[in-house]
mmCIF file of all heavy atoms in Angstrom:
data_model
loop_
_atom_site.group_PDB
_atom_site.id
_atom_site.type_symbol
_atom_site.label_atom_id
_atom_site.label_comp_id
_atom_site.label_asym_id
_atom_site.label_seq_id
_atom_site.Cartn_x
_atom_site.Cartn_y
_atom_site.Cartn_z
ATOM 1 N N LEU E 386 -0.488 2.459 4.700
ATOM 2 C CA LEU E 386 0.770 1.858 4.276
ATOM 3 C C LEU E 386 1.346 2.616 3.095
ATOM 4 O O LEU E 386 0.609 3.171 2.293
ATOM 5 C CB LEU E 386 0.545 0.404 3.835
ATOM 6 C CG LEU E 386 -0.095 -0.545 4.825
ATOM 7 C CD1 LEU E 386 -0.466 -1.839 4.126
ATOM 8 C CD2 LEU E 386 0.850 -0.816 5.964
ATOM 9 N N LYS E 387 2.656 2.621 2.988
ATOM 10 C CA LYS E 387 3.323 3.106 1.793
ATOM 11 C C LYS E 387 3.918 1.878 1.131
ATOM 12 O O LYS E 387 4.721 1.169 1.725
ATOM 13 C CB LYS E 387 4.432 4.084 2.172
ATOM 14 C CG LYS E 387 4.445 5.324 1.350
ATOM 15 C CD LYS E 387 5.500 6.270 1.814
ATOM 16 C CE LYS E 387 4.949 7.658 1.683
ATOM 17 N NZ LYS E 387 5.932 8.666 1.877
ATOM 18 N N VAL E 388 3.462 1.573 -0.074
ATOM 19 C CA VAL E 388 3.916 0.366 -0.767
ATOM 20 C C VAL E 388 4.405 0.713 -2.157
ATOM 21 O O VAL E 388 4.129 1.794 -2.672
ATOM 22 C CB VAL E 388 2.775 -0.682 -0.863
ATOM 23 C CG1 VAL E 388 2.340 -1.134 0.506
ATOM 24 C CG2 VAL E 388 1.598 -0.151 -1.635
ATOM 25 N N ARG E 389 5.141 -0.192 -2.740
ATOM 26 C CA ARG E 389 5.604 -0.022 -4.110
ATOM 27 C C ARG E 389 4.969 -1.119 -4.957
ATOM 28 O O ARG E 389 5.039 -2.291 -4.601
ATOM 29 C CB ARG E 389 7.122 -0.122 -4.176
ATOM 30 C CG ARG E 389 7.670 0.090 -5.564
ATOM 31 C CD ARG E 389 9.143 0.463 -5.481
ATOM 32 N NE ARG E 389 9.664 0.994 -6.694
ATOM 33 C CZ ARG E 389 9.489 2.228 -7.149
ATOM 34 N NH1 ARG E 389 8.733 3.044 -6.476
ATOM 35 N NH2 ARG E 389 10.041 2.640 -8.252
ATOM 36 N N ILE E 390 4.372 -0.704 -6.045
ATOM 37 C CA ILE E 390 3.783 -1.658 -6.977
ATOM 38 C C ILE E 390 4.889 -2.107 -7.911
ATOM 39 O O ILE E 390 5.613 -1.295 -8.472
ATOM 40 C CB ILE E 390 2.620 -1.016 -7.756
ATOM 41 C CG1 ILE E 390 1.524 -0.595 -6.781
ATOM 42 C CG2 ILE E 390 2.080 -1.976 -8.805
ATOM 43 C CD1 ILE E 390 0.379 0.170 -7.413
ATOM 44 N N GLY E 391 5.039 -3.403 -8.047
ATOM 45 C CA GLY E 391 6.110 -3.975 -8.858
ATOM 46 C C GLY E 391 5.915 -3.718 -10.340
ATOM 47 O O GLY E 391 4.856 -3.271 -10.785
ATOM 48 N N PRO E 392 6.934 -4.007 -11.131
ATOM 49 C CA PRO E 392 6.854 -3.782 -12.574
ATOM 50 C C PRO E 392 5.772 -4.629 -13.247
ATOM 51 O O PRO E 392 5.342 -4.317 -14.351
ATOM 52 C CB PRO E 392 8.247 -4.147 -13.090
ATOM 53 C CG PRO E 392 8.888 -4.925 -12.007
ATOM 54 C CD PRO E 392 8.218 -4.550 -10.730
ATOM 55 N N ASP E 393 5.311 -5.665 -12.559
ATOM 56 C CA ASP E 393 4.246 -6.493 -13.121
ATOM 57 C C ASP E 393 2.863 -5.878 -12.893
ATOM 58 O O ASP E 393 1.862 -6.389 -13.367
ATOM 59 C CB ASP E 393 4.292 -7.896 -12.525
ATOM 60 C CG ASP E 393 4.238 -7.892 -11.004
ATOM 61 O OD1 ASP E 393 4.131 -6.806 -10.399
ATOM 62 O OD2 ASP E 393 4.309 -8.982 -10.418
ATOM 63 N N GLY E 394 2.801 -4.750 -12.156
ATOM 64 C CA GLY E 394 1.536 -4.065 -11.913
ATOM 65 C C GLY E 394 0.702 -4.682 -10.811
ATOM 66 O O GLY E 394 -0.451 -4.322 -10.626
ATOM 67 N N ILE E 395 1.281 -5.585 -10.030
ATOM 68 C CA ILE E 395 0.548 -6.253 -8.961
ATOM 69 C C ILE E 395 0.903 -5.622 -7.615
ATOM 70 O O ILE E 395 2.071 -5.483 -7.268
ATOM 71 C CB ILE E 395 0.851 -7.767 -8.946
ATOM 72 C CG1 ILE E 395 0.352 -8.399 -10.248
ATOM 73 C CG2 ILE E 395 0.206 -8.431 -7.736
ATOM 74 C CD1 ILE E 395 0.678 -9.855 -10.384
ATOM 75 N N LEU E 396 -0.127 -5.247 -6.882
ATOM 76 C CA LEU E 396 0.036 -4.688 -5.546
ATOM 77 C C LEU E 396 -0.070 -5.822 -4.542
ATOM 78 O O LEU E 396 -1.065 -6.538 -4.509
ATOM 79 C CB LEU E 396 -1.052 -3.638 -5.269
ATOM 80 C CG LEU E 396 -1.168 -3.136 -3.843
ATOM 81 C CD1 LEU E 396 0.089 -2.405 -3.426
ATOM 82 C CD2 LEU E 396 -2.383 -2.246 -3.708
ATOM 83 N N LYS E 397 0.948 -5.992 -3.729
ATOM 84 C CA LYS E 397 0.947 -7.036 -2.709
ATOM 85 C C LYS E 397 0.941 -6.368 -1.341
ATOM 86 O O LYS E 397 1.817 -5.560 -1.041
ATOM 87 C CB LYS E 397 2.169 -7.932 -2.857
ATOM 88 C CG LYS E 397 2.212 -8.657 -4.184
ATOM 89 C CD LYS E 397 3.494 -9.420 -4.349
ATOM 90 C CE LYS E 397 3.554 -9.981 -5.760
ATOM 91 N NZ LYS E 397 4.867 -10.466 -6.093
ATOM 92 N N ILE E 398 -0.042 -6.696 -0.526
ATOM 93 C CA ILE E 398 -0.149 -6.117 0.811
ATOM 94 C C ILE E 398 -0.120 -7.247 1.828
ATOM 95 O O ILE E 398 -0.945 -8.154 1.780
ATOM 96 C CB ILE E 398 -1.459 -5.317 0.970
ATOM 97 C CG1 ILE E 398 -1.499 -4.182 -0.034
ATOM 98 C CG2 ILE E 398 -1.583 -4.793 2.384
ATOM 99 C CD1 ILE E 398 -2.799 -3.423 -0.038
ATOM 100 N N GLU E 399 0.829 -7.198 2.721
ATOM 101 C CA GLU E 399 0.902 -8.135 3.830
ATOM 102 C C GLU E 399 1.092 -7.316 5.091
ATOM 103 O O GLU E 399 2.087 -6.621 5.243
ATOM 104 C CB GLU E 399 2.074 -9.098 3.647
ATOM 105 C CG GLU E 399 1.897 -10.072 2.509
ATOM 106 C CD GLU E 399 3.041 -11.072 2.424
ATOM 107 O OE1 GLU E 399 3.690 -11.340 3.454
ATOM 108 O OE2 GLU E 399 3.283 -11.560 1.321
ATOM 109 N N THR E 400 0.123 -7.379 5.987
ATOM 110 C CA THR E 400 0.221 -6.640 7.225
ATOM 111 C C THR E 400 -0.479 -7.407 8.334
ATOM 112 O O THR E 400 -1.563 -7.958 8.123
ATOM 113 C CB THR E 400 -0.358 -5.217 7.076
ATOM 114 O OG1 THR E 400 -0.183 -4.515 8.296
ATOM 115 C CG2 THR E 400 -1.813 -5.238 6.712
ATOM 116 N N PRO E 401 0.119 -7.480 9.502
ATOM 117 C CA PRO E 401 -0.535 -8.184 10.607
ATOM 118 C C PRO E 401 -1.678 -7.339 11.180
ATOM 119 O O PRO E 401 -1.631 -6.111 11.152
ATOM 120 C CB PRO E 401 0.584 -8.342 11.636
ATOM 121 C CG PRO E 401 1.545 -7.255 11.328
ATOM 122 C CD PRO E 401 1.438 -7.000 9.850
ATOM 123 N N THR E 402 -2.716 -7.993 11.650
ATOM 124 C CA THR E 402 -3.831 -7.310 12.306
ATOM 125 C C THR E 402 -4.162 -8.040 13.598
ATOM 126 O O THR E 402 -3.675 -9.151 13.852
ATOM 127 C CB THR E 402 -5.084 -7.280 11.419
ATOM 128 O OG1 THR E 402 -5.568 -8.602 11.279
ATOM 129 C CG2 THR E 402 -4.803 -6.679 10.061
ATOM 130 N N GLN E 403 -5.002 -7.420 14.395
ATOM 131 C CA GLN E 403 -5.478 -8.046 15.623
ATOM 132 C C GLN E 403 -6.614 -9.022 15.327
ATOM 133 O O GLN E 403 -7.004 -9.800 16.183
ATOM 134 C CB GLN E 403 -5.954 -6.963 16.602
ATOM 135 C CG GLN E 403 -4.881 -5.969 16.970
ATOM 136 C CD GLN E 403 -3.727 -6.614 17.723
ATOM 137 O OE1 GLN E 403 -3.928 -7.569 18.463
ATOM 138 N NE2 GLN E 403 -2.522 -6.115 17.502
ATOM 139 N N LEU E 404 -7.164 -8.967 14.114
ATOM 140 C CA LEU E 404 -8.306 -9.799 13.754
ATOM 141 C C LEU E 404 -7.847 -11.207 13.406
ATOM 142 O O LEU E 404 -6.822 -11.394 12.767
ATOM 143 C CB LEU E 404 -9.051 -9.181 12.570
ATOM 144 C CG LEU E 404 -9.469 -7.715 12.747
ATOM 145 C CD1 LEU E 404 -10.049 -7.180 11.459
ATOM 146 C CD2 LEU E 404 -10.463 -7.590 13.889
ATOM 147 N N ARG E 405 -8.644 -12.207 13.795
ATOM 148 C CA ARG E 405 -8.287 -13.597 13.518
ATOM 149 C C ARG E 405 -9.539 -14.363 13.079
ATOM 150 O O ARG E 405 -10.594 -14.237 13.695
ATOM 151 C CB ARG E 405 -7.743 -14.297 14.769
ATOM 152 C CG ARG E 405 -6.507 -13.648 15.366
ATOM 153 C CD ARG E 405 -5.253 -14.235 14.710
ATOM 154 N NE ARG E 405 -4.060 -13.876 15.435
ATOM 155 C CZ ARG E 405 -3.311 -12.823 15.160
ATOM 156 N NH1 ARG E 405 -3.648 -12.004 14.216
ATOM 157 N NH2 ARG E 405 -2.214 -12.579 15.836
ATOM 158 N N ASP E 406 -9.420 -15.140 12.038
ATOM 159 C CA ASP E 406 -10.431 -16.100 11.622
ATOM 160 C C ASP E 406 -11.841 -15.501 11.521
ATOM 161 O O ASP E 406 -12.800 -16.041 12.069
ATOM 162 C CB ASP E 406 -10.417 -17.297 12.596
ATOM 163 C CG ASP E 406 -11.122 -18.496 11.998
ATOM 164 O OD1 ASP E 406 -11.133 -18.622 10.752
ATOM 165 O OD2 ASP E 406 -11.682 -19.292 12.765
ATOM 166 N N ILE E 407 -11.942 -14.332 10.876
ATOM 167 C CA ILE E 407 -13.248 -13.711 10.660
ATOM 168 C C ILE E 407 -13.322 -13.195 9.232
ATOM 169 O O ILE E 407 -12.298 -12.964 8.587
ATOM 170 C CB ILE E 407 -13.531 -12.546 11.644
ATOM 171 C CG1 ILE E 407 -12.553 -11.402 11.425
ATOM 172 C CG2 ILE E 407 -13.502 -13.001 13.069
ATOM 173 C CD1 ILE E 407 -12.948 -10.132 12.138
ATOM 174 N N GLU E 408 -14.518 -12.986 8.766
ATOM 175 C CA GLU E 408 -14.724 -12.384 7.458
ATOM 176 C C GLU E 408 -14.783 -10.877 7.667
ATOM 177 O O GLU E 408 -15.428 -10.388 8.589
ATOM 178 C CB GLU E 408 -16.040 -12.887 6.852
ATOM 179 C CG GLU E 408 -16.189 -12.505 5.408
ATOM 180 C CD GLU E 408 -17.363 -13.225 4.777
ATOM 181 O OE1 GLU E 408 -17.459 -14.458 4.938
ATOM 182 O OE2 GLU E 408 -18.170 -12.535 4.151
ATOM 183 N N THR E 409 -14.106 -10.134 6.811
ATOM 184 C CA THR E 409 -14.050 -8.685 6.968
ATOM 185 C C THR E 409 -14.093 -8.017 5.599
ATOM 186 O O THR E 409 -13.882 -8.660 4.576
ATOM 187 C CB THR E 409 -12.787 -8.262 7.750
ATOM 188 O OG1 THR E 409 -12.820 -6.869 7.981
ATOM 189 C CG2 THR E 409 -11.523 -8.604 6.987
ATOM 190 N N GLU E 410 -14.366 -6.739 5.592
ATOM 191 C CA GLU E 410 -14.387 -5.959 4.362
ATOM 192 C C GLU E 410 -13.170 -5.040 4.362
ATOM 193 O O GLU E 410 -12.861 -4.410 5.358
ATOM 194 C CB GLU E 410 -15.668 -5.122 4.317
ATOM 195 C CG GLU E 410 -15.853 -4.356 3.043
ATOM 196 C CD GLU E 410 -17.194 -3.642 3.033
ATOM 197 O OE1 GLU E 410 -18.225 -4.316 3.089
ATOM 198 O OE2 GLU E 410 -17.178 -2.407 2.974
ATOM 199 N N VAL E 411 -12.483 -4.992 3.220
ATOM 200 C CA VAL E 411 -11.275 -4.177 3.098
ATOM 201 C C VAL E 411 -11.489 -3.175 1.974
ATOM 202 O O VAL E 411 -11.960 -3.527 0.896
ATOM 203 C CB VAL E 411 -10.044 -5.055 2.786
ATOM 204 C CG1 VAL E 411 -8.800 -4.199 2.575
ATOM 205 C CG2 VAL E 411 -9.823 -6.055 3.902
ATOM 206 N N VAL E 412 -11.146 -1.907 2.231
ATOM 207 C CA VAL E 412 -11.232 -0.857 1.221
ATOM 208 C C VAL E 412 -9.813 -0.417 0.893
ATOM 209 O O VAL E 412 -9.055 -0.066 1.787
ATOM 210 C CB VAL E 412 -12.059 0.348 1.726
ATOM 211 C CG1 VAL E 412 -12.080 1.447 0.688
ATOM 212 C CG2 VAL E 412 -13.452 -0.086 2.107
ATOM 213 N N VAL E 413 -9.452 -0.424 -0.378
ATOM 214 C CA VAL E 413 -8.120 0.000 -0.808
ATOM 215 C C VAL E 413 -8.280 1.233 -1.680
ATOM 216 O O VAL E 413 -9.038 1.238 -2.647
ATOM 217 C CB VAL E 413 -7.413 -1.114 -1.612
ATOM 218 C CG1 VAL E 413 -6.066 -0.640 -2.123
ATOM 219 C CG2 VAL E 413 -7.260 -2.356 -0.754
ATOM 220 N N VAL E 414 -7.591 2.315 -1.313
ATOM 221 C CA VAL E 414 -7.598 3.547 -2.089
ATOM 222 C C VAL E 414 -6.183 3.750 -2.615
ATOM 223 O O VAL E 414 -5.243 3.870 -1.846
ATOM 224 C CB VAL E 414 -8.019 4.762 -1.216
ATOM 225 C CG1 VAL E 414 -7.968 6.037 -2.029
ATOM 226 C CG2 VAL E 414 -9.389 4.544 -0.611
ATOM 227 N N LEU E 415 -6.035 3.777 -3.916
ATOM 228 C CA LEU E 415 -4.717 4.005 -4.519
ATOM 229 C C LEU E 415 -4.537 5.491 -4.792
ATOM 230 O O LEU E 415 -5.366 6.122 -5.431
ATOM 231 C CB LEU E 415 -4.575 3.225 -5.822
ATOM 232 C CG LEU E 415 -4.571 1.707 -5.689
ATOM 233 C CD1 LEU E 415 -4.467 1.071 -7.061
ATOM 234 C CD2 LEU E 415 -3.449 1.248 -4.804
ATOM 235 N N GLN E 416 -3.453 6.039 -4.268
ATOM 236 C CA GLN E 416 -3.130 7.448 -4.486
ATOM 237 C C GLN E 416 -1.633 7.525 -4.692
ATOM 238 O O GLN E 416 -0.862 7.109 -3.828
ATOM 239 C CB GLN E 416 -3.541 8.279 -3.267
ATOM 240 C CG GLN E 416 -3.211 9.737 -3.402
ATOM 241 C CD GLN E 416 -3.700 10.522 -2.188
ATOM 242 O OE1 GLN E 416 -4.519 10.055 -1.427
ATOM 243 N NE2 GLN E 416 -3.187 11.715 -2.045
ATOM 244 N N THR E 417 -1.216 8.028 -5.829
ATOM 245 C CA THR E 417 0.219 8.101 -6.091
ATOM 246 C C THR E 417 0.861 9.091 -5.124
ATOM 247 O O THR E 417 0.266 10.105 -4.755
ATOM 248 C CB THR E 417 0.499 8.550 -7.544
ATOM 249 O OG1 THR E 417 -0.123 9.804 -7.764
ATOM 250 C CG2 THR E 417 -0.022 7.545 -8.535
ATOM 251 N N ALA E 418 2.066 8.757 -4.713
ATOM 252 C CA ALA E 418 2.796 9.604 -3.783
ATOM 253 C C ALA E 418 3.254 10.865 -4.510
ATOM 254 O O ALA E 418 3.730 10.796 -5.641
ATOM 255 C CB ALA E 418 3.997 8.852 -3.220
ATOM 256 N N THR E 419 3.094 11.997 -3.854
ATOM 257 C CA THR E 419 3.568 13.239 -4.456
ATOM 258 C C THR E 419 5.043 13.390 -4.116
ATOM 259 O O THR E 419 5.437 13.312 -2.960
ATOM 260 C CB THR E 419 2.792 14.457 -3.931
ATOM 261 O OG1 THR E 419 2.893 14.482 -2.502
ATOM 262 C CG2 THR E 419 1.335 14.368 -4.317
ATOM 263 N N VAL E 420 5.830 13.563 -5.131
ATOM 264 C CA VAL E 420 7.269 13.701 -4.961
ATOM 265 C C VAL E 420 7.646 15.124 -5.327
ATOM 266 O O VAL E 420 7.352 15.592 -6.429
ATOM 267 C CB VAL E 420 8.030 12.700 -5.854
ATOM 268 C CG1 VAL E 420 9.521 12.869 -5.697
ATOM 269 C CG2 VAL E 420 7.603 11.282 -5.535
ATOM 270 N N GLU E 421 8.269 15.804 -4.373
ATOM 271 C CA GLU E 421 8.688 17.182 -4.628
ATOM 272 C C GLU E 421 9.852 17.174 -5.616
ATOM 273 O O GLU E 421 10.810 16.416 -5.435
ATOM 274 C CB GLU E 421 9.125 17.831 -3.307
ATOM 275 C CG GLU E 421 9.392 19.298 -3.420
ATOM 276 C CD GLU E 421 9.686 19.925 -2.062
ATOM 277 O OE1 GLU E 421 9.243 19.398 -1.049
ATOM 278 O OE2 GLU E 421 10.385 20.949 -2.060
ATOM 279 N N PRO E 422 9.785 17.994 -6.654
ATOM 280 C CA PRO E 422 10.879 18.011 -7.635
ATOM 281 C C PRO E 422 12.162 18.546 -7.003
ATOM 282 O O PRO E 422 12.127 19.391 -6.103
ATOM 283 C CB PRO E 422 10.366 18.966 -8.719
ATOM 284 C CG PRO E 422 9.363 19.824 -8.032
ATOM 285 C CD PRO E 422 8.758 18.976 -6.946
ATOM 286 N N LEU E 423 13.292 18.030 -7.453
ATOM 287 C CA LEU E 423 14.589 18.449 -6.942
ATOM 288 C C LEU E 423 15.405 19.047 -8.077
ATOM 289 O O LEU E 423 15.196 18.733 -9.241
ATOM 290 C CB LEU E 423 15.333 17.249 -6.353
ATOM 291 C CG LEU E 423 14.616 16.495 -5.229
ATOM 292 C CD1 LEU E 423 15.441 15.286 -4.816
ATOM 293 C CD2 LEU E 423 14.358 17.392 -4.048
ATOM 294 N N ASP E 424 16.347 19.934 -7.703
ATOM 295 C CA ASP E 424 17.211 20.499 -8.733
ATOM 296 C C ASP E 424 18.320 19.503 -9.069
ATOM 297 O O ASP E 424 18.340 18.382 -8.573
ATOM 298 C CB ASP E 424 17.763 21.868 -8.298
ATOM 299 C CG ASP E 424 18.718 21.787 -7.117
ATOM 300 O OD1 ASP E 424 19.129 20.673 -6.731
ATOM 301 O OD2 ASP E 424 19.065 22.846 -6.572
ATOM 302 N N ALA E 425 19.264 19.911 -9.901
ATOM 303 C CA ALA E 425 20.324 19.016 -10.357
ATOM 304 C C ALA E 425 21.207 18.525 -9.209
ATOM 305 O O ALA E 425 21.826 17.468 -9.307
ATOM 306 C CB ALA E 425 21.180 19.719 -11.404
ATOM 307 N N ASN E 426 21.258 19.281 -8.103
ATOM 308 C CA ASN E 426 22.084 18.899 -6.957
ATOM 309 C C ASN E 426 21.308 18.137 -5.894
ATOM 310 O O ASN E 426 21.839 17.815 -4.844
ATOM 311 C CB ASN E 426 22.724 20.135 -6.336
ATOM 312 C CG ASN E 426 23.695 20.801 -7.285
ATOM 313 O OD1 ASN E 426 24.473 20.123 -7.960
ATOM 314 N ND2 ASN E 426 23.653 22.109 -7.366
#
C-alpha cells in the first residue's frame, strides 16, 4: 500500500482481505517514498 501518515503521526491502514474471523500476524515495514527532485518548472 501507499499511504500518507497524518500530521498527528498516526498510520491508519484499512484494507479488505479474503480472511475472515481468524487470528493472524501482520508485519508492517515503513519506508519513506523516494521523490525525484524537480526543477523550478
Side-chain angles (χ1 to χ4, degrees):
L386 304 169
K387 226 177 217 190
V388 297
R389 182 160 194 78
I390 298 175
D393 55 2
I395 296 176
L396 170 64
K397 298 174 187 167
I398 300 175
E399 291 184 26
T400 183
T402 67
Q403 301 296 328
L404 307 174
R405 301 272 193 267
D406 197 28
I407 64 168
E408 190 170 311
T409 185
E410 185 176 298
V411 177
V412 177
V413 177
V414 178
L415 294 178
Q416 179 177 343
T417 57
T419 56
V420 179
E421 188 174 334
L423 302 176
D424 67 10
N426 295 318

